[in-house]
Amino acid sequence: MRHSALFAPACFGILLFGSAVSSLAANYQGHAVHDSRVIIVWEDTTKQRQLNVNQYGAFSSIKKHGYLKNIELVDTHYSTSIAQNLKILSAIPGVKAVYPDYEIHALTQSDTPTDTPSLSTAPNDPDYSLLWGLNDPDDFDINAEEAWAYSTGSSQVYVGVIDSGVDYTHEDLAANVWTNPDEIAGNGIDDDANGWVDDVHGIDTSANDSDPMDEGGHGTHVAGTIAGVGNNGIGITGVNWTSQIIPCRFLDANGEGYASGAIECLDYMASLKIDKGLNLVATNNSWGGGGYSALMEEVISVHNSLGILFVAASGNEGTNIDSQPSYPASYDIANIISVAAIDHNGNFAYFSNYGNSVDIAAPGVEIYSSVPGNNYESYSGTSMAAPHVTGALALLKAAHPDVSSNGLKSLLLTNASDKDLYDGETRYGRLQLFNPEGDGAINCGDTTTITRVAPSSSSVSIIYQDTLAVHFASLNCGEPSDTVTLNYQDTSIELMDNGIGSDNIANDGIFSGEIEASWIGTINIDVVGASDQSFSITSTRFPSITEVNYQFESIDNPTELNLGDDDLETIELDFSITTPFGTTNTITVSSNGLLFGDSGASSVYTNTLLPSLGVNHVFAPFWDDLYNSSGSYTWEVKGTTPNRKLVINYTNIHFYYGNEPVSFQVVFNESTPIVYYNYANIITSDSHSGGSTATVGVEDSGYGVTYSYNTYALHDNMSLLIGDLEQIDLPVIDSLTYSGIPRVGYPVSLVATLSDNSSEETRMRINVGDGNGFQPYRSGSVTTVVYSTAGVYTVIAEASTETASQSSSLNISILSISDTEQALIDRAQSDLLTTIQNSPGNFDLVSTATAQSMANNAASAREEAIIANPSAVGLVSQQAADAASQQAAALAEQATLAALADNPNEFGMMTLENAANQTQLAQQAILDAPQDWGLSVIATTPDDISTLSTGTFLVGASTDIEDLTAFFSDVRFVWVFEDGLFKGWSPDNTLRSQLENSGYTLISRIRSGQGFWVTKG
């Protein structure tokens, strides 16, 4: 069964009107997605034009965006599974990424009964007293009434409401709903040529039309809090009395929608900012859920570049989103303001998400506002808290029109109240527009406020020698103020607001600069004049991925992991292992080829480039859609402290769509910060072979290294090392090879070689697999072994230092000599011996008898001379005589050799040059009379072979035979004996493979004059 991932928009907890999944929803990685739509991100619009997705048969384009031109919504027409569609479309040239169309929800916690309102005098809206979030005796309101003394809003300030739509006919909203001045209502024409016909008050991306009327109520409730018409004697008032609301509907009546709809709304808002020049301050986004989406992050970043703030509800799970992120609130983008909920007593709402990554809290319990049909109700949720912040931003923009979007954010956040009260729950405290004690957001005085904009966290991690961009707001009531100076170690950096380099906009009050991590470890960055905005940077080395010699670890007593499809299981150790990212005593194993050393483990099966998972300590040896039909997931701890290893095996694991299994393992070390990915069997005969549909890499702290992504990059008996090689004294074995005849009783020579830069302290040992274990070994030396029985022998060479070790291994198949081989060997040896004995001179030799006789005669002659006249050589004793005799014999032999070299013919021998000539003559003699030499036929053409009958024939070649396939098309085997080895060949692929598997060297060509055997039949 295929599980899938749902991208739920920011609607957490209990849904507003229920949570029945749309009939169009499918299941993808545990989340609901549209079952026939996906979203493509093109590398650029040129690629998109050249490679129209419609040409790929099963797919067709639904929608291309006006501003986000490289994003396209595609209909898959239910062609196959979501996972397969993602893989197919990802392979199209020019496609940067493909995403499912995640389902999204509104973030309302519950409906709350409405009490009978008590009337108030200011403003004159009859239900104003019910709006405790704006003004309340308990004083946990936002002090809106005091702020209205400075501004009640402006019709020139616009806010986007991306939600379930807005009832634009509502009595308390209609005057503040934007009307498109460039569109003629009801004429059926796209008058302003923006791709939407009659978008008079906004658009509806869920129905793909231009009517954003709210059928559920969630968006209308949000809009009333932001900008319900104030002081009109009707219903309620918003934080703004006159600001303009732009509705974009993508959620249905049940508060559910898809990521594609939210993205299209964001695109529409961007086009209004750019094409119509609207003073669009912010969008309200009371939706969310699901997992991290690089696509959504990218689109929100576009709004950041346009100066549009993104107010996001933090979510209703009641969890700490520092450790369990909630999106879109958890994206680390400068324009996002994440909002939690409090009640009228100032208590943090039980359902509200919290953490240091939540910016601010606002009223979100029993919030009274407008709903469709000129009605009013109370809702609760972070959905209700977010519009208080959005409305406050619009009000600040009306009061301080020249302040930038980042200045507005800084002005609002730095003037929040009760920071200590909500410490650990929010970063800044709770929303307060007016400060009765002095400087506040709207009543700011002549005081400089310095606020860290980026990084948003007070502690960040980067990679050694990488650069971190830093941005600080230095504002005096929203206007640019003093330069910001940062001090760390012995360095002082002055940030600039000049629009150059990392500073995006000149004179906007955002001062920017860069810090290069030239250290390893954690340092504090001090902010001059604003110590509360100081932060720390931890610099670490990020590991590289390097192919090394095969390191596969055998295990004897494995523990099985009970992993199902798309499943997770955690291994808990009684010691810590050391990885390139730190230490851990737990590893969570995913059935889909992912391992996690930290929280946030995922069983996601659709692989992507890394980083993409948004969690730390991620290892991806083979991230793919895997399925265990007949294999196993196992683990074992090997060795003793402090050099223990955790070995995790994926053995004979199939693909969800595929018939052939793969086997690989991951090895962690106790003391050394390296990890091995070892691939035993990774080549298949289908599309998955060699990692063609997998991701191999690592991810940590927002960084990642992808070794391969949907690429044929792996092979059998391959190992990858993950680690910082500059920091590890790691010995490297360059090669491990063998030579000789792999047969029982024949010598096999083994040579292992260390790399040139290996430490002098590196020790080596070798295990030849014969049962005698490891033996000391010196790099480059030859170890010879004769195997006495047939079998597959694993040879292991190991190199080690005080801190690390590496091994390399190879398998040698030792076979017994077959009867056929022995017969051929015997016959070849017999024929060769006969030829040599008959004509030793042809081989630059003399016969044994002749050589022995010559040596004996020379020695005898010299010995007789010595015995006859010993005094001539100074001998005075038998011992001395014996010594002199040996010396004389040596001299005689040297003389004989010199004589042989000067005149070999006198000794019945010839020079090598003459031997070569004689060999050529002998070859010609064989061709002239093959029967005299025991040959049955001379082969000149393929016809000479085809005329042979069934059997084995000794044949001589009268010409060079280069194309064996053409020459021997109808034979079973061809054999030659050369270089001391029998070599074979067959035109049949299966028989030829059998020869190779048996250790035979294949014949590549046959030379003219060479003899060979042919077997037919």
Side-chain angles (χ1 to χ4, degrees), residues 836 838-847 908-911 915 918:
I836 293 173
N838 290 338
S839 302
N842 292 343
F843 296 89
D844 204 15
L845 298 172
V846 295
S847 68
M909 302 178 69
M910 64 181 68
T911 64
Q918 291 297 324

Side-chain angles (χ1 to χ4, degrees), residues 604-945:
V604 57
Y605 68 84
T606 297
N607 61 300
T608 60
L609 288 166
L610 296 173
S612 62
L613 294 168
V615 295
N616 297 332
H617 230 124
V618 180
F619 299 91
F622 198 84
W623 180 16
D624 207 326
D625 187 5
L626 303 178
Y627 180 74
N628 180 22
S629 60
S630 59
S632 64
Y633 305 91
T634 57
W635 66 277
E636 181 179 314
V637 174
K638 297 185 63 177
T640 58
T641 186
N643 297 311
R644 287 173 286 189
K645 298 179 180 180
L646 171 62
V647 181
I648 301 172
N649 278 358
Y650 290 69
T651 305
N652 292 328
I653 305 299
H654 285 75
F655 297 87
Y656 192 83
Y657 298 98
N659 297 320
E660 297 184 44
V662 292
S663 296
F664 56 94
Q665 73 175 191
V666 181
V667 180
F668 298 94
N669 293 274
E670 181 177 8
S671 301
T672 307
I674 58 175
V675 177
Y676 287 106
Y677 297 166
N678 299 323
Y679 303 94
N681 176 26
I682 219 75
I683 302 299
T684 64
S685 62
D686 55 21
S687 62
H688 301 295
S689 187
S692 296
T693 58
T695 296
V696 177
V698 290
E699 176 178 343
D700 186 72
S701 302
Y703 292 84
V705 172
T706 299
Y707 179 82
S708 64
Y709 170 65
N710 292 347
T711 303
Y712 189 103
L714 308 176
H715 57 81
D716 292 348
N717 300 332
M718 173 183 181
S719 288
L720 297 176
L721 182 151
I722 296 86
D724 182 4
L725 296 182
E726 292 185 9
Q727 300 301 303
I728 304 169
D729 184 14
L730 183 70
V732 177
I733 300 175
D734 272 347
S735 63
L736 174 61
T737 60
Y738 83 92
S739 60
I741 303 174
R743 293 294 184 271
V744 172
Y746 282 79
V748 174
S749 297
L750 300 162
V751 179
T753 306
L754 283 173
S755 64
D756 293 338
N757 59 356
S758 294
S759 167
E760 293 182 0
E761 287 74 31
T762 302
R763 301 178 303 276
M764 289 194 74
R765 59 180 188 166
I766 193 167
N767 185 338
V768 300
D770 61 355
N772 292 320
F774 279 97
Q775 303 296 324
Y777 179 78
R778 181 170 52 83
S779 175
S781 62
V782 178
T783 293
T784 301
V785 58
V786 176
Y787 295 100
S788 59
T789 58
V792 178
Y793 292 85
T794 299
V795 178
I796 303 173
E798 182 181 271
S800 61
T801 64
E802 291 297 329
T803 59
S805 65
Q806 187 191 160
S807 63
S808 181
S809 64
L810 61 84
N811 291 327
I812 305 176
S813 295
I814 301 297
L815 304 176
S816 299
I817 297 177
S818 66
D819 293 342
T820 301
E821 286 177 317
Q822 191 62 55
L824 290 170
I825 291 171
D826 292 344
R827 180 169 180 177
Q829 290 177 335
S830 176
D831 291 347
L832 182 61
L833 182 60
T834 300
T835 302
I836 293 173
Q837 289 174 339
N838 290 338
S839 302
N842 292 343
F843 296 89
D844 204 15
L845 298 172
V846 295
S847 68
T848 302
T850 301
Q852 186 63 51
S853 177
M854 292 171 63
N856 290 341
N857 290 340
S860 177
R862 293 302 298 168
E863 288 174 2
E864 289 177 0
I866 291 170
I867 293 170
N869 189 13
S871 60
V873 292
L875 298 180
V876 296
S877 67
Q878 184 62 45
Q879 181 179 5
D882 291 341
S885 175
Q886 293 175 6
Q887 181 181 8
L891 292 173
E893 290 177 5
Q894 291 178 5
T896 301
L897 291 174
L900 286 172
D902 293 338
N903 193 5
N905 293 332
E906 290 186 5
F907 297 89
M909 302 178 69
M910 64 181 68
T911 64
L912 291 176
E913 180 181 359
N914 290 337
N917 294 333
Q918 291 297 324
T919 298
Q920 184 175 0
L921 293 174
Q923 290 175 345
Q924 187 60 47
I926 292 173
L927 299 178
D928 294 339
Q931 292 78 11
D932 294 344
W933 297 86
L935 303 179
S936 57
V937 69
I938 290 296
T940 304
T941 68
D943 291 340
D944 297 327
I945 301 300

Side-chain angles (χ1 to χ4, degrees), residues 478-664:
E479 296 296 328
S481 187
D482 300 336
T483 297
V484 179
T485 300
L486 306 181
N487 291 330
Y488 64 95
Q489 294 181 319
D490 296 326
T491 303
S492 182
I493 295 179
E494 185 176 285
L495 305 186
M496 307 301 293
D497 184 19
N498 55 8
I500 298 174
S502 59
D503 189 63
N504 296 324
I505 302 173
N507 303 316
D508 65 346
I510 306 300
F511 292 79
S512 306
E514 294 180 338
I515 298 175
E516 181 180 348
S518 58
W519 68 92
I520 297 294
T522 301
I523 65 168
N524 292 319
I525 310 297
D526 297 321
V527 184
V528 176
S531 60
D532 62 324
Q533 298 299 307
S534 297
F535 63 104
S536 65
I537 301 177
T538 300
S539 170
T540 59
R541 294 182 182 273
F542 205 79
S544 59
I545 302 178
T546 307
E547 183 175 356
V548 296
N549 293 321
Y550 192 42
Q551 302 291 311
F552 199 85
E553 297 276 354
S554 60
I555 58 178
D556 302 319
N557 300 296
T559 299
E560 188 159 356
L561 295 168
N562 297 315
L563 289 172
D565 186 29
D566 302 335
D567 203 359
L568 297 169
E569 187 168 340
T570 298
I571 300 171
E572 296 185 358
L573 304 170
D574 58 4
F575 66 97
S576 292
I577 56 176
T578 303
T579 80
F581 308 126
T583 59
T584 180
N585 62 356
T586 64
I587 291 291
T588 300
V589 181
S590 164
S591 59
N592 291 317
L594 287 168
L595 298 98
F596 302 85
D598 203 348
S599 59
S602 170
S603 61
V604 57
Y605 68 84
T606 297
N607 61 300
T608 60
L609 288 166
L610 296 173
S612 62
L613 294 168
V615 295
N616 297 332
H617 230 124
V618 180
F619 299 91
F622 198 84
W623 180 16
D624 207 326
D625 187 5
L626 303 178
Y627 180 74
N628 180 22
S629 60
S630 59
S632 64
Y633 305 91
T634 57
W635 66 277
E636 181 179 314
V637 174
K638 297 185 63 177
T640 58
T641 186
N643 297 311
R644 287 173 286 189
K645 298 179 180 180
L646 171 62
V647 181
I648 301 172
N649 278 358
Y650 290 69
T651 305
N652 292 328
I653 305 299
H654 285 75
F655 297 87
Y656 192 83
Y657 298 98
N659 297 320
E660 297 184 44
V662 292
S663 296
F664 56 94

Side-chain angles (χ1 to χ4, degrees), residues 83-116:
Q84 288 296 96
N85 285 330
L86 294 179
K87 289 184 181 294
I88 293 170
L89 290 168
S90 295
I92 295 176
V95 169
K96 180 180 179 181
V98 186
Y99 298 90
D101 195 0
Y102 292 105
E103 187 175 289
I104 293 176
H105 307 289
L107 290 181
T108 305
Q109 175 63 16
S110 61
D111 299 336
T112 306
T114 302
D115 298 327
T116 303

Side-chain angles (χ1 to χ4, degrees), residues 47-198:
K47 293 283 188 182
Q48 187 181 24
R49 288 195 300 270
Q50 292 175 349
L51 298 164
N52 192 317
V53 75
N54 294 323
Q55 67 184 299
Y56 287 87
F59 310 104
S60 61
S61 177
I62 297 175
K63 185 74 176 180
K64 298 177 182 178
H65 299 290
Y67 182 73
L68 306 171
K69 298 182 185 298
N70 65 323
I71 297 176
E72 182 174 7
L73 186 63
V74 172
D75 193 339
T76 64
H77 301 289
Y78 309 94
S79 55
T80 182
S81 71
I82 294 293
Q84 288 296 96
N85 285 330
L86 294 179
K87 289 184 181 294
I88 293 170
L89 290 168
S90 295
I92 295 176
V95 169
K96 180 180 179 181
V98 186
Y99 298 90
D101 195 0
Y102 292 105
E103 187 175 289
I104 293 176
H105 307 289
L107 290 181
T108 305
Q109 175 63 16
S110 61
D111 299 336
T112 306
T114 302
D115 298 327
T116 303
S118 59
L119 300 179
S120 178
T121 56
N124 66 8
D125 302 279
D127 293 343
Y128 174 63
S129 63
L130 284 177
L131 310 182
W132 74 263
L134 305 185
N135 189 55
D136 186 69
D138 293 330
D139 208 28
F140 283 98
D141 57 85
I142 67 172
N143 287 347
E145 188 169 317
E146 294 86 343
W148 290 329
Y150 295 83
S151 177
T152 57
S154 168
S155 61
Q156 299 305 305
V157 173
Y158 296 84
V159 171
V161 175
I162 299 175
D163 211 289
S164 62
V166 173
D167 180 358
Y168 47 80
T169 65
H170 195 286
E171 60 184 5
D172 230 2
L173 292 174
N176 286 350
V177 174
W178 171 70
T179 298
N180 186 351
D182 302 320
E183 197 74 36
I184 300 173
N187 69 349
I189 299 173
D190 181 11
D191 299 292
D192 58 0
N194 68 347
W196 294 93
V197 175
D198 292 339

Side-chain angles (χ1 to χ4, degrees), residues 286-454:
S286 292
W287 45 267
Y292 169 85
S293 166
L295 173 59
M296 187 64 73
E297 184 177 40
E298 182 177 341
V299 173
I300 296 171
S301 296
V302 170
H303 272 223
N304 181 47
S305 67
L306 295 174
I308 304 172
L309 295 170
F310 186 98
V311 181
S314 67
N316 299 343
E317 291 89 3
T319 60
N320 186 337
I321 65 173
D322 293 342
S323 57
Q324 299 181 50
S326 177
Y327 299 102
S330 291
Y331 292 120
D332 187 11
I333 309 173
N335 63 328
I336 291 180
I337 302 176
S338 59
V339 187
I342 57 173
D343 66 17
H344 72 281
N345 293 316
N347 297 318
F348 208 81
Y350 74 90
F351 54 78
S352 178
N353 287 346
Y354 61 92
N356 288 323
S357 52
V358 175
D359 291 306
I360 197 167
V365 178
E366 297 183 10
I367 303 301
Y368 190 71
S369 187
S370 51
V371 293
N374 295 331
N375 294 313
Y376 305 88
E377 294 182 17
S378 287
Y379 295 165
S380 295
T382 53
S383 275
M384 285 55 258
H388 284 86
V389 172
T390 306
L393 289 167
L395 193 67
L396 289 175
K397 185 66 174 178
H400 308 294
D402 295 329
V403 176
S404 67
S405 59
N406 281 331
L408 287 175
K409 176 181 176 181
S410 188
L411 194 61
L412 181 135
L413 294 179
T414 56
N415 286 285
S417 66
D418 298 324
K419 182 173 183 178
D420 292 339
L421 180 62
Y422 300 104
D423 184 40
E425 294 172 323
T426 70
R427 183 178 173 194
Y428 289 97
R430 68 176 179 87
L431 175 62
Q432 180 178 257
L433 274 169
F434 174 86
N435 183 1
E437 298 178 359
D439 289 340
I442 203 164
N443 61 320
C444 51
D446 188 15
T447 303
T448 294
T449 302
I450 297 176
T451 306
R452 186 177 67 252
V453 177

